[in-house]
């Protein structure tokens, strides 16, 4: 015989169910920080929409330990102090305790940020990467765990970069859907050196709209103003949030969030991934009006649109290699589909060349193993493209491998003609070389199987 629930029992059961559903909605948040009570306050709203007393959540032992595990999993290079993640791990318990005390007693000061220059894909240019010390990456991760849900709740639907549960794939799918729906006039916007030019004062004003804990605000500012070390040069940045810092992606989204909502309220279809965004329109006039809105906002926000890279495009129909289109998140997009953009293709071709010089002294198996690592990663990102670039890259890879084998056989030439017969495609397949074209065909077949 079932016993009837008393009203109090029914209410407790209802609250428990609500708590489970709430936790599921925020499953990505740090449970050691965002308890059910805090999540309830997050969803129901706090007084004035502003959060007080957050610093104790930042330096809580459990939060710092969870932050350290994330930093350890990401590994990464050492900062200016030369301390690696592995070295930090040897005395992690002691270092985390000291970090907790420094934060609690307001003695914490971040070390300088080590500047490292990395090549821009497909160009001869380089972009700066800021590498904080391991202890500072732990602190920033703990800080992000506290702040992210507060701001995530207000981020726009069409923002996809550096957000939990969102990806480049989703952003690209949204662009594809809009093109299919007839939004074929595109504002292709480019923010010039965005991460290096975010105005600190205006950024902090955005943060203060939701955070009133002075110690948390001061902590954010110390990261923004941390000295930069580039070789023997050292200076304090006047603007920007260094790429490479754990907290920077969140801060960059906070700063662009008003633009997201401005465009949405005006009825424009915008898709943004970090500082890379496009606005899709149904007419040229609408596109021009959208671009004017973006120009007005960026000028007020202290940002600059790149005059040469920002443009309005009419996307035409036809095969991707012939139709008019635009580049977004590594792809060239048209109404006919998508293909890797020219810079993305140049980057993988350059990688293949670096792995396969004719004088390569490694055995064929070792060369193919190294090649496959690069090819796998590239394919996994670009697998939704049409088949043509995969076929061309396969041919290039086999041609260069044949050139290596030809030289070892004391033959001259680039590895064509007789070499094709001596080492046919099946030979390289037998030795484990990844065929991008075959992998693409398998991927397309799997998509048909799910329909």
């Amino acid at each position: 015989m079932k016993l009837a629930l008393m009203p109090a029992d029914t209410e407790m059961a209802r609250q428990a169910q609500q708590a489970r559903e709430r936790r599921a909605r925020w499953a990505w948040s740090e449970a050691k920080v965002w308890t059910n009570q805090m999540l309830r306050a997050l969803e129901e709203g706090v007084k004035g929409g502003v959060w007080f007393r957050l610093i104790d959540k930042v330096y809580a032992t459990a939060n710092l330990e969870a932050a350290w595990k994330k930093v350890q999993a990401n590994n990464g290079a050492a900062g200016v102090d030369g301390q690696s993640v592995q070295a930090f791990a040897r005395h992690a318990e002691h270092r985390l305790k000291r970090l907790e005390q420094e934060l609690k007693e307001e003695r914490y000061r971040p070390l300088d940020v080590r500047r490292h220059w990395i090549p821009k894909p497909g160009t001869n240019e380089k972009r700066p990467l800021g590498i904080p010390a391991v202890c500072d990456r732990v602190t920033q991760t703990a800080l992000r765990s506290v702040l992210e849900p507060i701001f995530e709740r207000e981020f726009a639907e069409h923002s996809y970069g550096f957000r939990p549960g969102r990806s480049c794939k989703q952003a690209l799918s949204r662009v594809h859907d809009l093109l299919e729906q007839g939004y074929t006039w595109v504002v292709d916007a480019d923010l010039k050196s965005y991460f290096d030019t975010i105005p600190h004062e205006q950024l902090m004003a955005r943060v203060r709209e939701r955070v009133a804990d002075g110690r948390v605000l001061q902590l954010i500012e110390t990261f923004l103003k941390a000295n930069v070390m580039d070789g023997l040069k050292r200076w304090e940045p006047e603007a920007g949030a260094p790429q490479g810092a754990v907290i920077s992606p969140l801060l960059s989204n906070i700063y662009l969030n008003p633009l997201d909502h401005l465009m949405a309220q005006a009825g424009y279809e915008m898709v943004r991934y970090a500082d890379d965004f496009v606005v899709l329109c149904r007419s040229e006039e609408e596109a021009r009006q959208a671009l004017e809105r973006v120009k007005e906002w960026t000028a007020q926000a202290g940002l600059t649109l790149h005059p040469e890279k920002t443009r309005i495009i009419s996307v035409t129909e036809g095969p991707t290699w012939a139709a008019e289109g635009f580049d977004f998140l590594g792809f060239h997009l048209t109404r006919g589909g998508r293909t890797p953009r020219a810079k993305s293709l140049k980057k993988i071709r350059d990688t293949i060349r670096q792995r396969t010089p004719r004088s390569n002294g490694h055995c064929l198996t070792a060369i193919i193993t190294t090649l496959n690592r690069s090819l796998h990663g590239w394919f996994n990102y670009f697998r939704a493209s049409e088949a043509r670039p995969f076929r061309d890259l396969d041919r290039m890879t086999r041609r260069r491998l044949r050139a290596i084998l030809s030289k070892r056989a004391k033959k001259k030439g680039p590895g064509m003609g007789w070499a094709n017969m001596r080492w046919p495609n099946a030979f390289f397949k037998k030795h484990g070389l990844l065929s991008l074209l075959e992998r693409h065909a398998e991927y397309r077949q799997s998509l048909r199987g799910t329909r």
Side-chain angles (χ1 to χ4, degrees):
M1 181 178 70
K2 288 186 177 180
L3 296 176
L5 289 174
M6 299 295 289
D9 295 332
T10 303
E11 178 59 21
M12 288 178 63
R14 185 184 67 81
Q15 291 180 4
Q17 179 62 24
Q18 287 180 340
R20 286 192 292 271
E21 292 172 353
R22 189 180 298 116
R23 173 54 65 189
R25 287 193 292 273
W26 297 91
W28 57 268
S29 66
E30 180 52 64
K32 297 197 172 59
V33 175
W34 288 93
T35 62
N36 283 326
Q37 183 179 358
M38 283 192 67
L39 288 177
R40 181 177 177 180
L42 180 67
E43 291 195 342
E44 294 180 358
V46 293
K47 187 176 180 181
V50 181
W51 289 76
F52 295 83
R53 295 198 61 184
L54 293 173
I55 189 65
D56 59 314
K57 313 294 189 301
V58 176
Y59 63 65
T61 302
N63 188 29
L64 289 175
E65 289 175 348
W68 156 239
K69 288 178 181 178
K70 292 175 183 176
V71 171
Q72 188 176 29
N74 289 333
N75 201 1
V80 293
D81 59 352
Q83 185 180 68
S84 66
V85 171
Q86 293 75 21
F88 190 97
R90 287 194 285 271
H91 305 283
E93 184 177 352
H94 168 72
R95 296 183 191 280
L96 292 176
K97 195 64 182 175
R98 185 174 66 185
L99 187 57
E100 179 181 341
Q101 287 300 119
E102 289 177 352
L103 287 165
K104 187 181 296 186
E105 298 168 7
E106 300 184 58
R107 293 186 292 107
Y108 171 80
R109 295 292 181 274
L111 297 176
D112 293 353
V113 175
R114 180 170 69 86
R115 174 156 285 190
H116 176 66
W117 293 87
I118 60 174
K120 282 188 176 182
T123 72
N124 294 323
E125 300 176 18
K126 293 185 177 183
R127 66 181 178 90
L129 191 68
I131 304 176
V134 175
C135 61
D136 296 328
R137 299 209 291 271
V138 172
T139 308
Q140 289 189 29
T141 303
L143 178 61
R144 186 186 65 187
S145 295
V146 172
L147 295 178
E148 194 167 23
I150 295 172
F151 292 97
E152 177 65 28
R153 185 170 178 266
E154 299 185 357
F155 285 158
E157 183 63 27
H158 62 252
S159 167
Y160 294 90
F162 306 118
R163 293 184 59 191
R166 289 171 171 257
S167 64
C168 289
K169 181 180 178 181
Q170 292 172 328
L172 289 162
S173 294
R174 179 58 181 158
V175 171
H176 173 76
D177 291 345
L178 289 168
L179 289 172
E180 290 290 301
Q181 294 169 32
Y183 291 84
T184 56
W185 286 89
V186 179
V187 177
D188 183 11
D190 186 279
L191 289 171
K192 190 175 181 181
S193 303
Y194 171 63
F195 279 87
D196 291 332
T197 58
I198 303 173
H200 288 169
E201 186 175 338
Q202 290 174 254
L203 171 59
M204 291 307 301
R206 302 264 163 85
V207 177
R208 288 189 190 95
E209 291 174 1
R210 292 292 172 261
V211 176
D213 188 321
R215 292 176 64 183
V216 168
L217 294 169
Q218 183 181 19
L219 188 58
I220 297 172
E221 287 191 280
T222 62
F223 286 127
L224 291 175
K225 295 183 180 298
N227 288 324
V228 176
M229 285 289 295
D230 187 355
L232 298 178
K233 297 179 181 178
R234 181 174 186 260
W235 72 92
E236 179 182 308
E238 297 179 357
Q243 294 187 68
V246 178
I247 198 69
S248 291
L250 174 60
L251 295 177
S252 71
N253 274 334
I254 291 172
Y255 198 65
L256 289 179
N257 190 47
L259 174 62
D260 293 339
H261 288 288
L262 172 69
M263 300 303 285
Q265 289 164 9
Y268 295 115
E269 294 290 352
M270 178 173 166
V271 180
R272 182 173 70 81
Y273 193 96
D275 60 330
D276 199 357
F277 66 91
V278 289
V279 185
L280 294 97
C281 306
R282 290 188 180 276
S283 68
E284 182 178 7
E285 179 59 26
E286 184 184 357
R288 293 190 183 283
Q289 292 172 359
L291 179 55
E292 284 306 309
R293 289 257 186 158
V294 173
K295 285 181 176 179
E296 289 173 9
W297 187 89
T298 51
Q300 293 171 1
L303 304 174
T304 304
L305 286 173
H306 199 296
E308 297 174 3
K309 296 180 181 179
T310 299
R311 57 187 183 140
I312 293 176
I313 303 158
S314 174
V315 182
T316 59
E317 293 188 88
T320 52
W321 55 270
E324 180 71 17
F326 61 99
D327 293 345
F328 187 57
L329 300 181
F331 285 87
H332 182 73
L333 296 103
T334 69
R335 293 184 69 183
R338 66 181 80 162
T339 189
R341 67 174 182 168
K343 288 183 179 180
S344 302
L345 286 169
K346 183 180 184 305
K347 183 178 180 181
I348 188 62
R349 289 190 186 111
D350 288 346
T351 298
I352 293 170
R353 291 189 186 96
Q354 291 168 7
R355 302 278 189 271
T356 56
R358 290 196 75 195
S359 58
N360 194 311
H362 296 287
C363 69
L364 184 63
T365 300
I367 296 171
I368 288 176
T369 298
T370 303
L371 267 174
N372 280 350
R373 281 197 292 267
S374 298
L375 295 175
H376 271 295
W378 194 86
F379 174 80
N380 286 339
Y381 186 78
F382 291 104
R383 60 186 180 181
S385 299
E386 62 177 36
R388 183 175 178 172
F390 301 119
R391 181 182 63 245
D392 293 345
L393 287 170
D394 278 347
R395 288 173 176 170
M396 174 188 176
T397 304
R398 289 191 294 262
R399 183 173 66 251
R400 292 190 64 82
L401 289 175
R402 288 186 182 110
I404 294 173
L405 296 173
S406 295
K407 182 174 183 179
R408 292 177 181 179
K410 309 297 183 183
K411 300 288 184 179
K412 295 182 179 180
M416 299 173 68
W418 71 272
N420 290 352
M421 293 183 286
R422 180 168 179 179
W423 299 293
N425 296 355
F427 171 83
F428 296 108
K429 184 175 182 179
K430 182 179 178 181
H431 280 76
L433 178 66
L434 173 69
S435 168
L436 296 173
L437 188 61
E438 287 183 9
R439 181 62 61 85
H440 181 257
E442 293 169 2
Y443 170 71
R444 300 295 295 180
Q445 183 62 39
S446 70
L447 291 182
R448 286 192 286 269
T450 59
R451 289 173 186 168

